[in-house]
PDB file of all heavy atoms in Angstrom:
ATOM      1  N   ALA A 173     108.637 209.627 156.077  1.00 77.00           N
ATOM      2  CA  ALA A 173     108.162 208.990 154.805  1.00 77.00           C
ATOM      3  C   ALA A 173     107.074 207.987 154.947  1.00 77.00           C
ATOM      4  O   ALA A 173     106.577 207.535 153.881  1.00 77.00           O
ATOM      5  CB  ALA A 173     109.391 208.344 154.137  1.00 77.00           C
ATOM      6  N   ILE A 175     107.121 205.139 156.562  1.00 91.00           N
ATOM      7  CA  ILE A 175     107.607 203.791 156.484  1.00 91.00           C
ATOM      8  C   ILE A 175     108.215 203.399 157.884  1.00 91.00           C
ATOM      9  O   ILE A 175     109.034 202.509 158.036  1.00 91.00           O
ATOM     10  CB  ILE A 175     108.598 203.506 155.398  1.00 91.00           C
ATOM     11  CG1 ILE A 175     109.774 204.510 155.483  1.00 91.00           C
ATOM     12  CG2 ILE A 175     107.987 203.493 154.062  1.00 91.00           C
ATOM     13  CD1 ILE A 175     110.816 204.358 154.417  1.00 91.00           C
ATOM     14  N   PHE A 259     107.622 195.603 145.318  1.00 97.00           N
ATOM     15  CA  PHE A 259     106.812 196.736 145.975  1.00 97.00           C
ATOM     16  C   PHE A 259     107.575 197.990 145.537  1.00 97.00           C
ATOM     17  O   PHE A 259     108.857 198.062 145.602  1.00 97.00           O
ATOM     18  CB  PHE A 259     106.823 196.613 147.378  1.00 97.00           C
ATOM     19  CG  PHE A 259     105.975 195.556 147.935  1.00 97.00           C
ATOM     20  CD1 PHE A 259     106.341 194.239 148.166  1.00 97.00           C
ATOM     21  CD2 PHE A 259     104.546 195.773 148.122  1.00 97.00           C
ATOM     22  CE1 PHE A 259     105.401 193.250 148.569  1.00 97.00           C
ATOM     23  CE2 PHE A 259     103.633 194.941 148.525  1.00 97.00           C
ATOM     24  CZ  PHE A 259     104.066 193.592 148.755  1.00 97.00           C
ATOM     25  N   MET A 260     106.760 199.004 145.160  1.00 96.00           N
ATOM     26  CA  MET A 260     107.380 200.337 144.861  1.00 96.00           C
ATOM     27  C   MET A 260     106.899 201.321 145.768  1.00 96.00           C
ATOM     28  O   MET A 260     105.735 201.405 146.103  1.00 96.00           O
ATOM     29  CB  MET A 260     106.960 200.643 143.421  1.00 96.00           C
ATOM     30  CG  MET A 260     107.327 202.008 142.864  1.00 96.00           C
ATOM     31  SD  MET A 260     107.338 202.243 141.098  1.00 96.00           S
ATOM     32  CE  MET A 260     105.464 202.173 140.789  1.00 96.00           C
ATOM     33  N   LEU A 261     107.840 202.038 146.348  1.00 95.00           N
ATOM     34  CA  LEU A 261     107.648 203.280 147.160  1.00 95.00           C
ATOM     35  C   LEU A 261     107.837 204.580 146.375  1.00 95.00           C
ATOM     36  O   LEU A 261     109.014 204.749 145.833  1.00 95.00           O
ATOM     37  CB  LEU A 261     108.473 203.170 148.386  1.00 95.00           C
ATOM     38  CG  LEU A 261     108.447 201.968 149.355  1.00 95.00           C
ATOM     39  CD1 LEU A 261     109.254 202.197 150.569  1.00 95.00           C
ATOM     40  CD2 LEU A 261     106.945 201.827 149.838  1.00 95.00           C
ATOM     41  N   ALA A 262     106.839 205.350 146.218  1.00 94.00           N
ATOM     42  CA  ALA A 262     106.829 206.537 145.608  1.00 94.00           C
ATOM     43  C   ALA A 262     106.815 207.769 146.631  1.00 94.00           C
ATOM     44  O   ALA A 262     105.720 207.832 147.265  1.00 94.00           O
ATOM     45  CB  ALA A 262     105.738 206.659 144.524  1.00 94.00           C
ATOM     46  N   PHE A 263     107.767 208.407 146.879  1.00 92.00           N
ATOM     47  CA  PHE A 263     107.832 209.476 147.946  1.00 92.00           C
ATOM     48  C   PHE A 263     107.391 210.820 147.362  1.00 92.00           C
ATOM     49  O   PHE A 263     107.819 211.196 146.326  1.00 92.00           O
ATOM     50  CB  PHE A 263     109.293 209.536 148.431  1.00 92.00           C
ATOM     51  CG  PHE A 263     109.761 208.433 149.292  1.00 92.00           C
ATOM     52  CD1 PHE A 263     110.321 207.401 148.479  1.00 92.00           C
ATOM     53  CD2 PHE A 263     109.634 208.372 150.493  1.00 92.00           C
ATOM     54  CE1 PHE A 263     110.813 206.160 149.241  1.00 92.00           C
ATOM     55  CE2 PHE A 263     110.061 207.199 151.273  1.00 92.00           C
ATOM     56  CZ  PHE A 263     110.680 206.132 150.595  1.00 92.00           C
ATOM     57  N   SER A 264     106.422 211.531 148.102  1.00 91.00           N
ATOM     58  CA  SER A 264     105.792 212.690 147.625  1.00 91.00           C
ATOM     59  C   SER A 264     106.772 213.906 147.806  1.00 91.00           C
ATOM     60  O   SER A 264     106.505 214.904 147.187  1.00 91.00           O
ATOM     61  CB  SER A 264     104.538 212.883 148.504  1.00 91.00           C
ATOM     62  OG  SER A 264     104.894 213.158 149.891  1.00 91.00           O
ATOM     63  N   GLY A 265     107.798 213.866 148.616  1.00 88.00           N
ATOM     64  CA  GLY A 265     108.526 215.015 148.979  1.00 88.00           C
ATOM     65  C   GLY A 265     107.906 215.847 150.077  1.00 88.00           C
ATOM     66  O   GLY A 265     108.578 216.833 150.583  1.00 88.00           O
ATOM     67  N   LEU A 266     106.792 215.439 150.599  1.00 85.00           N
ATOM     68  CA  LEU A 266     106.105 216.122 151.740  1.00 85.00           C
ATOM     69  C   LEU A 266     106.824 215.580 153.047  1.00 85.00           C
ATOM     70  O   LEU A 266     106.789 214.397 153.315  1.00 85.00           O
ATOM     71  CB  LEU A 266     104.763 215.804 151.830  1.00 85.00           C
ATOM     72  CG  LEU A 266     103.821 216.720 150.995  1.00 85.00           C
ATOM     73  CD1 LEU A 266     102.397 216.115 151.068  1.00 85.00           C
ATOM     74  CD2 LEU A 266     103.810 218.081 151.461  1.00 85.00           C
ATOM     75  N   PRO A 372      98.555 216.374 147.344  1.00 91.00           N
ATOM     76  CA  PRO A 372      99.748 215.835 146.595  1.00 91.00           C
ATOM     77  C   PRO A 372      99.821 214.331 146.776  1.00 91.00           C
ATOM     78  O   PRO A 372     100.132 213.636 145.746  1.00 91.00           O
ATOM     79  CB  PRO A 372     101.025 216.422 147.342  1.00 91.00           C
ATOM     80  CG  PRO A 372     100.477 217.788 147.826  1.00 91.00           C
ATOM     81  CD  PRO A 372      99.058 217.470 148.313  1.00 91.00           C
ATOM     82  N   MET A 373      99.458 213.744 147.988  1.00 92.00           N
ATOM     83  CA  MET A 373      99.462 212.361 148.143  1.00 92.00           C
ATOM     84  C   MET A 373      98.359 211.661 147.333  1.00 92.00           C
ATOM     85  O   MET A 373      98.509 210.620 146.688  1.00 92.00           O
ATOM     86  CB  MET A 373      99.324 212.001 149.593  1.00 92.00           C
ATOM     87  CG  MET A 373     100.419 212.391 150.543  1.00 92.00           C
ATOM     88  SD  MET A 373     101.914 211.317 150.123  1.00 92.00           S
ATOM     89  CE  MET A 373     101.357 209.774 150.881  1.00 92.00           C
ATOM     90  N   LEU A 376      99.555 211.572 143.787  1.00 95.00           N
ATOM     91  CA  LEU A 376     100.628 210.567 143.545  1.00 95.00           C
ATOM     92  C   LEU A 376     100.043 209.105 143.490  1.00 95.00           C
ATOM     93  O   LEU A 376     100.360 208.339 142.677  1.00 95.00           O
ATOM     94  CB  LEU A 376     101.652 210.613 144.633  1.00 95.00           C
ATOM     95  CG  LEU A 376     102.767 209.703 144.723  1.00 95.00           C
ATOM     96  CD1 LEU A 376     103.542 209.680 143.359  1.00 95.00           C
ATOM     97  CD2 LEU A 376     103.690 209.865 145.945  1.00 95.00           C
ATOM     98  N   ARG A 377      98.995 208.948 144.266  1.00 96.00           N
ATOM     99  CA  ARG A 377      98.269 207.622 144.265  1.00 96.00           C
ATOM    100  C   ARG A 377      97.614 207.412 142.903  1.00 96.00           C
ATOM    101  O   ARG A 377      97.596 206.257 142.302  1.00 96.00           O
ATOM    102  CB  ARG A 377      97.398 207.533 145.398  1.00 96.00           C
ATOM    103  CG  ARG A 377      96.478 206.165 145.491  1.00 96.00           C
ATOM    104  CD  ARG A 377      95.543 206.264 146.527  1.00 96.00           C
ATOM    105  NE  ARG A 377      94.624 205.083 146.440  1.00 96.00           N
ATOM    106  CZ  ARG A 377      93.482 205.224 145.792  1.00 96.00           C
ATOM    107  NH1 ARG A 377      93.064 206.320 145.195  1.00 96.00           N
ATOM    108  NH2 ARG A 377      92.678 204.085 145.645  1.00 96.00           N
ATOM    109  N   ILE A 379      98.407 208.757 140.056  1.00 97.00           N
ATOM    110  CA  ILE A 379      99.509 208.454 139.080  1.00 97.00           C
ATOM    111  C   ILE A 379      99.971 206.983 139.105  1.00 97.00           C
ATOM    112  O   ILE A 379     100.044 206.313 138.053  1.00 97.00           O
ATOM    113  CB  ILE A 379     100.754 209.358 139.319  1.00 97.00           C
ATOM    114  CG1 ILE A 379     100.307 210.846 138.988  1.00 97.00           C
ATOM    115  CG2 ILE A 379     101.930 208.987 138.462  1.00 97.00           C
ATOM    116  CD1 ILE A 379     101.410 211.813 139.396  1.00 97.00           C
ATOM    117  N   LEU A 380     100.045 206.483 140.271  1.00 97.00           N
ATOM    118  CA  LEU A 380     100.503 205.132 140.405  1.00 97.00           C
ATOM    119  C   LEU A 380      99.458 204.101 139.787  1.00 97.00           C
ATOM    120  O   LEU A 380      99.784 203.261 139.019  1.00 97.00           O
ATOM    121  CB  LEU A 380     100.764 204.771 141.884  1.00 97.00           C
ATOM    122  CG  LEU A 380     101.961 205.321 142.509  1.00 97.00           C
ATOM    123  CD1 LEU A 380     101.912 205.212 144.041  1.00 97.00           C
ATOM    124  CD2 LEU A 380     103.216 204.540 142.063  1.00 97.00           C
ATOM    125  N   VAL A 386     101.462 198.563 137.325  1.00 98.00           N
ATOM    126  CA  VAL A 386     101.125 198.712 138.778  1.00 98.00           C
ATOM    127  C   VAL A 386      99.808 198.013 138.917  1.00 98.00           C
ATOM    128  O   VAL A 386      98.745 198.286 138.276  1.00 98.00           O
ATOM    129  CB  VAL A 386     100.993 200.248 139.081  1.00 98.00           C
ATOM    130  CG1 VAL A 386     100.500 200.321 140.594  1.00 98.00           C
ATOM    131  CG2 VAL A 386     102.293 200.908 138.979  1.00 98.00           C
ATOM    132  N   ALA A 389      97.575 200.347 144.653  1.00 97.00           N
ATOM    133  CA  ALA A 389      98.378 201.320 145.453  1.00 97.00           C
ATOM    134  C   ALA A 389      97.570 201.813 146.520  1.00 97.00           C
ATOM    135  O   ALA A 389      96.347 202.034 146.428  1.00 97.00           O
ATOM    136  CB  ALA A 389      98.903 202.462 144.467  1.00 97.00           C
ATOM    137  N   ARG A 390      98.225 202.347 147.578  1.00 95.00           N
ATOM    138  CA  ARG A 390      97.635 202.989 148.647  1.00 95.00           C
ATOM    139  C   ARG A 390      98.703 203.825 149.382  1.00 95.00           C
ATOM    140  O   ARG A 390      99.868 203.736 149.119  1.00 95.00           O
ATOM    141  CB  ARG A 390      97.030 202.018 149.645  1.00 95.00           C
ATOM    142  CG  ARG A 390      97.893 200.990 150.249  1.00 95.00           C
ATOM    143  CD  ARG A 390      97.383 200.201 151.553  1.00 95.00           C
ATOM    144  NE  ARG A 390      97.061 201.204 152.543  1.00 95.00           N
ATOM    145  CZ  ARG A 390      97.920 201.453 153.550  1.00 95.00           C
ATOM    146  NH1 ARG A 390      99.043 200.795 153.640  1.00 95.00           N
ATOM    147  NH2 ARG A 390      97.523 202.220 154.439  1.00 95.00           N
ATOM    148  N   PHE A 391      98.229 204.763 150.355  1.00 92.00           N
ATOM    149  CA  PHE A 391      98.998 205.600 151.073  1.00 92.00           C
ATOM    150  C   PHE A 391      99.991 204.540 152.050  1.00 92.00           C
ATOM    151  O   PHE A 391      99.421 203.449 152.496  1.00 92.00           O
ATOM    152  CB  PHE A 391      98.464 206.489 152.034  1.00 92.00           C
ATOM    153  CG  PHE A 391      97.444 207.409 151.330  1.00 92.00           C
ATOM    154  CD1 PHE A 391      96.426 207.904 151.888  1.00 92.00           C
ATOM    155  CD2 PHE A 391      97.846 207.969 150.120  1.00 92.00           C
ATOM    156  CE1 PHE A 391      95.471 208.726 151.285  1.00 92.00           C
ATOM    157  CE2 PHE A 391      97.092 208.954 149.357  1.00 92.00           C
ATOM    158  CZ  PHE A 391      95.930 209.258 149.999  1.00 92.00           C
ATOM    159  N   SER A 392     101.229 204.904 152.308  1.00 88.00           N
ATOM    160  CA  SER A 392     101.935 204.181 153.323  1.00 88.00           C
ATOM    161  C   SER A 392     101.967 205.030 154.608  1.00 88.00           C
ATOM    162  O   SER A 392     102.704 206.127 154.572  1.00 88.00           O
ATOM    163  CB  SER A 392     103.375 203.911 152.781  1.00 88.00           C
ATOM    164  OG  SER A 392     104.148 203.268 153.898  1.00 88.00           O
ATOM    165  N   ARG A 397     101.551 212.984 154.537  1.00 82.00           N
ATOM    166  CA  ARG A 397     102.808 213.173 154.115  1.00 82.00           C
ATOM    167  C   ARG A 397     103.409 211.947 153.798  1.00 82.00           C
ATOM    168  O   ARG A 397     102.721 210.805 153.887  1.00 82.00           O
ATOM    169  CB  ARG A 397     103.737 213.819 155.220  1.00 82.00           C
ATOM    170  CG  ARG A 397     103.955 213.125 156.466  1.00 82.00           C
ATOM    171  CD  ARG A 397     104.771 213.743 157.509  1.00 82.00           C
ATOM    172  NE  ARG A 397     104.980 212.960 158.677  1.00 82.00           N
ATOM    173  CZ  ARG A 397     105.803 213.228 159.655  1.00 82.00           C
ATOM    174  NH1 ARG A 397     106.483 214.337 159.621  1.00 82.00           N
ATOM    175  NH2 ARG A 397     105.843 212.481 160.768  1.00 82.00           N
ATOM    176  N   GLY A 398     104.704 211.953 153.319  1.00 85.00           N
ATOM    177  CA  GLY A 398     105.285 210.625 153.098  1.00 85.00           C
ATOM    178  C   GLY A 398     105.229 210.006 151.741  1.00 85.00           C
ATOM    179  O   GLY A 398     105.533 210.734 150.714  1.00 85.00           O
ATOM    180  N   CYS A 399     104.926 208.682 151.660  1.00 90.00           N
ATOM    181  CA  CYS A 399     104.945 208.049 150.388  1.00 90.00           C
ATOM    182  C   CYS A 399     103.664 207.199 150.118  1.00 90.00           C
ATOM    183  O   CYS A 399     102.835 206.918 151.056  1.00 90.00           O
ATOM    184  CB  CYS A 399     106.192 207.174 150.201  1.00 90.00           C
ATOM    185  SG  CYS A 399     106.257 205.684 151.317  1.00 90.00           S
ATOM    186  N   CYS A 400     103.522 206.613 148.935  1.00 95.00           N
ATOM    187  CA  CYS A 400     102.605 205.741 148.577  1.00 95.00           C
ATOM    188  C   CYS A 400     103.372 204.402 148.309  1.00 95.00           C
ATOM    189  O   CYS A 400     104.430 204.331 147.685  1.00 95.00           O
ATOM    190  CB  CYS A 400     101.786 206.031 147.308  1.00 95.00           C
ATOM    191  SG  CYS A 400     100.658 207.435 147.579  1.00 95.00           S
ATOM    192  N   VAL A 401     102.679 203.264 148.700  1.00 96.00           N
ATOM    193  CA  VAL A 401     103.155 201.942 148.389  1.00 96.00           C
ATOM    194  C   VAL A 401     102.331 201.333 147.301  1.00 96.00           C
ATOM    195  O   VAL A 401     101.218 201.384 147.364  1.00 96.00           O
ATOM    196  CB  VAL A 401     103.295 201.052 149.701  1.00 96.00           C
ATOM    197  CG1 VAL A 401     101.875 200.977 150.307  1.00 96.00           C
ATOM    198  CG2 VAL A 401     103.913 199.672 149.325  1.00 96.00           C
ATOM    199  N   SER A 402     102.966 200.585 146.354  1.00 97.00           N
ATOM    200  CA  SER A 402     102.260 199.868 145.238  1.00 97.00           C
ATOM    201  C   SER A 402     102.879 198.600 144.937  1.00 97.00           C
ATOM    202  O   SER A 402     103.933 198.367 145.382  1.00 97.00           O
ATOM    203  CB  SER A 402     102.169 200.723 144.064  1.00 97.00           C
ATOM    204  OG  SER A 402     103.480 201.039 143.592  1.00 97.00           O
ATOM    205  N   ALA A 412     108.011 201.420 135.194  1.00 97.00           N
ATOM    206  CA  ALA A 412     106.955 202.027 135.935  1.00 97.00           C
ATOM    207  C   ALA A 412     107.557 203.140 136.862  1.00 97.00           C
ATOM    208  O   ALA A 412     106.866 204.195 136.979  1.00 97.00           O
ATOM    209  CB  ALA A 412     106.225 201.013 136.739  1.00 97.00           C
ATOM    210  N   ALA A 413     108.590 202.771 137.577  1.00 96.00           N
ATOM    211  CA  ALA A 413     109.141 203.781 138.499  1.00 96.00           C
ATOM    212  C   ALA A 413     109.456 205.078 137.803  1.00 96.00           C
ATOM    213  O   ALA A 413     109.300 206.222 138.332  1.00 96.00           O
ATOM    214  CB  ALA A 413     110.242 203.262 139.202  1.00 96.00           C
ATOM    215  N   VAL A 416     106.427 207.068 136.810  1.00 97.00           N
ATOM    216  CA  VAL A 416     105.783 207.771 137.976  1.00 97.00           C
ATOM    217  C   VAL A 416     106.669 209.014 138.401  1.00 97.00           C
ATOM    218  O   VAL A 416     105.996 210.060 138.682  1.00 97.00           O
ATOM    219  CB  VAL A 416     105.763 206.812 139.188  1.00 97.00           C
ATOM    220  CG1 VAL A 416     105.361 207.567 140.634  1.00 97.00           C
ATOM    221  CG2 VAL A 416     104.801 205.709 138.949  1.00 97.00           C
ATOM    222  N   ARG A 417     107.928 208.941 138.369  1.00 95.00           N
ATOM    223  CA  ARG A 417     108.758 209.941 138.778  1.00 95.00           C
ATOM    224  C   ARG A 417     108.503 211.221 137.764  1.00 95.00           C
ATOM    225  O   ARG A 417     108.310 212.328 138.165  1.00 95.00           O
ATOM    226  CB  ARG A 417     110.233 209.636 138.632  1.00 95.00           C
ATOM    227  CG  ARG A 417     111.218 210.631 139.174  1.00 95.00           C
ATOM    228  CD  ARG A 417     112.615 210.274 138.862  1.00 95.00           C
ATOM    229  NE  ARG A 417     112.958 210.151 137.457  1.00 95.00           N
ATOM    230  CZ  ARG A 417     113.269 211.338 136.766  1.00 95.00           C
ATOM    231  NH1 ARG A 417     113.259 212.544 137.333  1.00 95.00           N
ATOM    232  NH2 ARG A 417     113.607 211.246 135.506  1.00 95.00           N
ATOM    233  N   TYR A 420     104.847 212.750 138.194  1.00 95.00           N
ATOM    234  CA  TYR A 420     104.715 213.461 139.427  1.00 95.00           C
ATOM    235  C   TYR A 420     105.520 214.840 139.245  1.00 95.00           C
ATOM    236  O   TYR A 420     105.065 215.767 139.837  1.00 95.00           O
ATOM    237  CB  TYR A 420     105.338 212.590 140.524  1.00 95.00           C
ATOM    238  CG  TYR A 420     104.962 213.300 141.960  1.00 95.00           C
ATOM    239  CD1 TYR A 420     103.637 213.448 142.403  1.00 95.00           C
ATOM    240  CD2 TYR A 420     106.042 213.728 142.810  1.00 95.00           C
ATOM    241  CE1 TYR A 420     103.432 213.987 143.586  1.00 95.00           C
ATOM    242  CE2 TYR A 420     105.806 214.318 143.921  1.00 95.00           C
ATOM    243  CZ  TYR A 420     104.477 214.443 144.439  1.00 95.00           C
ATOM    244  OH  TYR A 420     104.173 214.979 145.560  1.00 95.00           O
ATOM    245  N   GLU A 430     112.294 216.984 145.913  1.00 84.00           N
ATOM    246  CA  GLU A 430     112.527 216.145 147.126  1.00 84.00           C
ATOM    247  C   GLU A 430     111.886 214.793 147.031  1.00 84.00           C
ATOM    248  O   GLU A 430     111.980 214.061 147.984  1.00 84.00           O
ATOM    249  CB  GLU A 430     111.983 216.963 148.303  1.00 84.00           C
ATOM    250  CG  GLU A 430     112.623 218.223 148.614  1.00 84.00           C
ATOM    251  CD  GLU A 430     114.093 218.102 149.059  1.00 84.00           C
ATOM    252  OE1 GLU A 430     114.405 217.066 149.663  1.00 84.00           O
ATOM    253  OE2 GLU A 430     114.855 218.953 148.671  1.00 84.00           O
ATOM    254  N   ALA A 431     111.333 214.409 145.918  1.00 88.00           N
ATOM    255  CA  ALA A 431     110.686 213.099 145.785  1.00 88.00           C
ATOM    256  C   ALA A 431     111.505 212.145 145.038  1.00 88.00           C
ATOM    257  O   ALA A 431     112.461 212.499 144.302  1.00 88.00           O
ATOM    258  CB  ALA A 431     109.313 213.294 144.869  1.00 88.00           C
ATOM    259  N   HIS A 432     111.287 210.793 145.297  1.00 89.00           N
ATOM    260  CA  HIS A 432     112.032 209.837 144.583  1.00 89.00           C
ATOM    261  C   HIS A 432     111.240 208.596 144.765  1.00 89.00           C
ATOM    262  O   HIS A 432     110.241 208.446 145.306  1.00 89.00           O
ATOM    263  CB  HIS A 432     113.487 209.634 145.134  1.00 89.00           C
ATOM    264  CG  HIS A 432     113.490 209.213 146.629  1.00 89.00           C
ATOM    265  ND1 HIS A 432     113.206 210.132 147.631  1.00 89.00           N
ATOM    266  CD2 HIS A 432     113.781 208.013 147.165  1.00 89.00           C
ATOM    267  CE1 HIS A 432     113.347 209.441 148.793  1.00 89.00           C
ATOM    268  NE2 HIS A 432     113.695 208.218 148.626  1.00 89.00           N
ATOM    269  N   VAL A 433     111.732 207.676 143.912  1.00 93.00           N
ATOM    270  CA  VAL A 433     110.917 206.310 143.757  1.00 93.00           C
ATOM    271  C   VAL A 433     111.918 205.203 144.039  1.00 93.00           C
ATOM    272  O   VAL A 433     113.079 205.125 143.592  1.00 93.00           O
ATOM    273  CB  VAL A 433     110.396 206.064 142.422  1.00 93.00           C
ATOM    274  CG1 VAL A 433     109.536 204.838 142.347  1.00 93.00           C
ATOM    275  CG2 VAL A 433     109.426 207.292 141.981  1.00 93.00           C
ATOM    276  N   MET A 434     111.440 204.155 144.794  1.00 93.00           N
ATOM    277  CA  MET A 434     112.368 203.038 145.120  1.00 93.00           C
ATOM    278  C   MET A 434     111.501 201.743 144.886  1.00 93.00           C
ATOM    279  O   MET A 434     110.404 201.676 145.113  1.00 93.00           O
ATOM    280  CB  MET A 434     112.689 203.108 146.631  1.00 93.00           C
ATOM    281  CG  MET A 434     113.408 204.351 147.129  1.00 93.00           C
ATOM    282  SD  MET A 434     113.993 204.261 148.838  1.00 93.00           S
ATOM    283  CE  MET A 434     115.164 202.893 148.828  1.00 93.00           C
ATOM    284  N   LEU A 435     112.404 200.700 144.521  1.00 94.00           N
ATOM    285  CA  LEU A 435     111.869 199.445 144.258  1.00 94.00           C
ATOM    286  C   LEU A 435     112.396 198.513 145.372  1.00 94.00           C
ATOM    287  O   LEU A 435     113.668 198.397 145.417  1.00 94.00           O
ATOM    288  CB  LEU A 435     112.198 198.931 142.868  1.00 94.00           C
ATOM    289  CG  LEU A 435     111.623 199.666 141.737  1.00 94.00           C
ATOM    290  CD1 LEU A 435     112.217 199.186 140.332  1.00 94.00           C
ATOM    291  CD2 LEU A 435     110.149 199.543 141.696  1.00 94.00           C
ATOM    292  N   LEU A 436     111.540 197.770 146.096  1.00 93.00           N
ATOM    293  CA  LEU A 436     112.053 197.009 147.290  1.00 93.00           C
ATOM    294  C   LEU A 436     111.262 195.685 147.232  1.00 93.00           C
ATOM    295  O   LEU A 436     110.416 195.470 146.549  1.00 93.00           O
ATOM    296  CB  LEU A 436     111.751 197.809 148.500  1.00 93.00           C
ATOM    297  CG  LEU A 436     112.426 199.188 148.690  1.00 93.00           C
ATOM    298  CD1 LEU A 436     111.352 200.196 148.996  1.00 93.00           C
ATOM    299  CD2 LEU A 436     113.399 199.117 149.767  1.00 93.00           C
TER     300      LEU A 436
END
Side-chain angles (χ1 to χ4, degrees):
I175 51 178
F259 286 95
M260 180 163 64
L261 296 183
F263 293 83
S264 66
L266 278 173
M373 291 290 290
L376 181 55
R377 177 179 170 274
I379 291 170
L380 286 164
V386 174
R390 59 167 296 266
F391 303 144
S392 180
R397 62 178 180 176
C399 70
C400 290
V401 57
S402 62
V416 169
R417 186 189 66 82
Y420 188 66
E430 296 295 326
H432 59 286
V433 183
M434 300 184 70
L435 296 171
L436 302 123

